[in-house]
Amino acid sequence: MRQSAPEIHALGTAGAGHVLSLILSGQAKSRADLARISDLSRATIAQRLGVLFDSGLLHEASETQASGGRPARVLKLNQAFGVALVADIGESRIRVAATDLGPTILAERLGTLGVGSGPVPILTWIAAQFRELLAEIGRPAAEVLGIGLSLPAPVDHAAGQVVGPSVMTGWDHFDVPGWFAGEYAAPVFAENDVRLRTLAEHRQFWPGESQLVFIKAGTGIGSGVITDGRMHRGARGAAGDIGHIQLRDADAPLCRCGKLGCVEAYAAGWAIARDLRARGFDARDARDVMALVERNRPEAISLVRQAGRVLGEVAADVVSVLNPSIIVIGGTLSRAGEHLLAGVRELVYQRCLPLATQDLRIVAARSGEGAGLLGAAWLVIDARLQPHEVDRLIARPGPG
Ligand SMILES: [Zn+2]
């Protein structure tokens, strides 16, 4: 249905967010694409684009086409529109960064606080770094679109709180968003670290895969699930916790969670390090294990290959339930490459139905150490650039 001019005027900023979402999802690159895939008239599209151009969120740039034809006008998000402040809290160190909406990291710092220090010293340190990062890139607090935190614990995403027991002593139900509320008008988002690494890997390297499972094999083991292109969290945010699935309990090793025979107790970096110590090596975590693998120690390689088969056992169950098109294996142990992946493939292809495995790929992760920061930035960007949020954002002057 075509709209008359007064109707278009009455729309105001409403609907601009929907047009932006078609561009951000990659469905539309130009005005012509928008006219083709949406049921909006050219006049309505022009009005909504005008609102987006005026807000500074979107711009139109000349881009030479691969075919060598005349340059096309393509619609692009203005990555400089706002800033995300992000922190990746690890067990023994913290990374903080300011990113644009790409996201690209604009400035970054590394701190060596242990997560056991508790929430107040850690959040105080992070807040101070955020101020310095903003000063370094010359952007005011008003341009901050959101704060994103990656935490090594189960997280209630909606509340932005750690829930349940974890390595994060003292964080359980601590009001993380409330900590930043006085300083920034922007919302605060918190999420589990493995889930954010899943998000970063998916967006950066596999955006076309709508069904993806990421397995983090490091000192601990966890997983993240993308279904229909979206992060799957589960009813209480506990989805993907594969590290403590019990494989067997007779003569099974003790897990650090207190149960017997968990996946972690066989295949985590700490468990392999335990087995290496029993063979006379000095090893405490996944990094130590990898140092021995990289020195071609057969004992370490053999244990990593065995860990791959244990991961394969649980991955086979995951494939049977979720039928992903790709399994990405990340974490420190994934640096062992085929030593780890071979066992995963072996068990998955042996145990799953051909229908589930015929197009399945099992690959090593590509993202590097900045994945937690980029995942946290995606968390902020996804939330703030949802259609209804965009309509609100551009209905008032300035971001934030
Ligand atoms: Zn366990």
Side-chain angles (χ1 to χ4, degrees):
M1 193 185 76
R2 302 280 151 146
Q3 284 157 325
S4 65
E7 279 168 337
I8 291 167
H9 182 74
L11 281 169
T13 61
H18 173 64
V19 167
L20 183 68
S21 73
L22 294 173
I23 297 163
L24 295 181
S25 68
Q27 292 171 268
K29 288 182 78 174
S30 64
R31 290 170 190 258
D33 290 347
L34 286 170
R36 188 168 44 77
I37 65 165
S38 72
D39 54 4
L40 303 172
S41 70
R42 285 188 179 271
T44 305
I45 290 168
Q47 183 270 341
R48 291 180 186 177
L49 287 176
V51 169
L52 290 166
F53 294 148
D54 290 347
S55 72
L57 254 175
L58 195 69
H59 58 88
E60 199 169 32
S62 285
E63 193 171 85
T64 309
Q65 289 186 309
S67 60
R70 67 190 175 93
R73 304 280 286 166
V74 294
L75 298 162
K76 287 191 165 164
L77 177 72
N78 173 18
Q79 298 189 4
F81 178 81
V83 174
L85 293 174
V86 291
D88 179 15
I89 301 174
E91 292 192 22
S92 57
R93 38 190 206 167
I94 306 174
R95 288 170 184 274
V96 290
T99 79
D100 66 12
L101 303 188
T104 300
I105 291 174
L106 303 172
E108 185 180 1
R109 305 271 169 96
L110 179 67
T112 52
L113 274 80
V115 79
S117 320
V120 171
I122 288 178
L123 293 172
T124 302
W125 183 83
I126 290 173
Q129 300 306 309
F130 282 168
R131 276 174 228 125
E132 290 184 20
L133 288 167
L134 284 178
E136 188 180 327
I137 63 171
R139 305 286 287 271
E143 289 188 20
V144 175
L145 274 187
I147 290 171
L149 303 173
S150 168
L151 308 173
V155 172
D156 176 345
H157 171 70
Q161 292 177 359
V162 170
V163 284
S166 71
V167 292
M168 302 191 72
T169 315
W171 288 75
D172 205 0
H173 291 103
F174 188 89
D175 180 16
V176 178
W179 183 266
F180 296 97
E183 192 163 356
Y184 301 94
V188 179
F189 305 93
E191 186 51 277
N192 168 262
D193 61 345
V194 178
R195 214 165 274 155
L196 290 181
R197 279 164 174 74
T198 305
L199 188 60
E201 184 77 20
H202 178 246
R203 292 306 173 81
Q204 200 173 355
F205 299 108
W206 314 101
E209 302 283 350
S210 59
Q211 317 292 337
L212 175 147
V213 171
F214 176 85
I215 297 177
K216 183 197 169 214
T219 294
I221 290 172
S223 78
V225 176
I226 301 280
T227 50
D228 300 333
R230 304 171 74 94
M231 190 143 62
H232 179 79
R233 294 188 165 95
R236 294 297 309 272
D241 190 9
I242 60 167
H244 302 282
I245 291 176
Q246 281 174 295
L247 294 178
R248 49 190 87 87
D249 52 15
D251 299 324
L254 177 67
C255 184
R256 55 180 182 172
C257 73
K259 292 194 297 183
L260 293 172
C262 294
V263 171
E264 273 208 5
Y266 292 100
W270 66 261
I272 301 174
R274 172 202 63 206
D275 294 347
L276 284 167
R277 283 198 303 278
R279 289 162 171 77
F281 292 95
D282 179 23
R284 282 163 296 109
D285 56 19
R287 283 168 205 273
D288 298 337
V289 171
M290 283 316 304
L292 290 165
V293 168
E294 279 151 13
R295 277 156 49 203
N296 281 317
R297 298 308 303 241
E299 298 89 344
I301 290 171
S302 164
L303 286 168
V304 166
R305 294 186 76 91
Q306 180 53 35
R309 283 189 285 273
V310 172
L311 285 181
E313 249 183 88
V314 71
D317 291 349
V318 170
V319 167
S320 297
V321 175
L322 296 174
N323 184 204
S325 55
I326 186 164
I327 297 178
V328 182
I329 314 273
T332 305
L333 294 178
S334 72
R335 297 204 324 248
E338 285 305 310
H339 292 313
L340 188 73
L341 264 59
V344 180
R345 290 200 185 98
E346 181 189 323
L347 269 289
V348 167
Y349 290 114
Q350 199 179 82
R351 294 192 175 189
C352 297
L353 289 173
L355 183 62
T357 56
Q358 63 187 8
D359 296 319
L360 174 68
R361 283 186 290 169
I362 300 174
V363 300
R366 294 192 192 170
S367 44
E369 296 220 298
L373 292 174
L374 292 175
W378 277 117
L379 190 68
V380 171
I381 295 163
D382 281 358
R384 295 310 310 275
L385 296 188
Q386 284 181 44
H388 66 277
E389 280 283 324
V390 167
D391 291 344
R392 272 179 27 196
L393 201 60
I394 60 187
R396 60 190 172 190

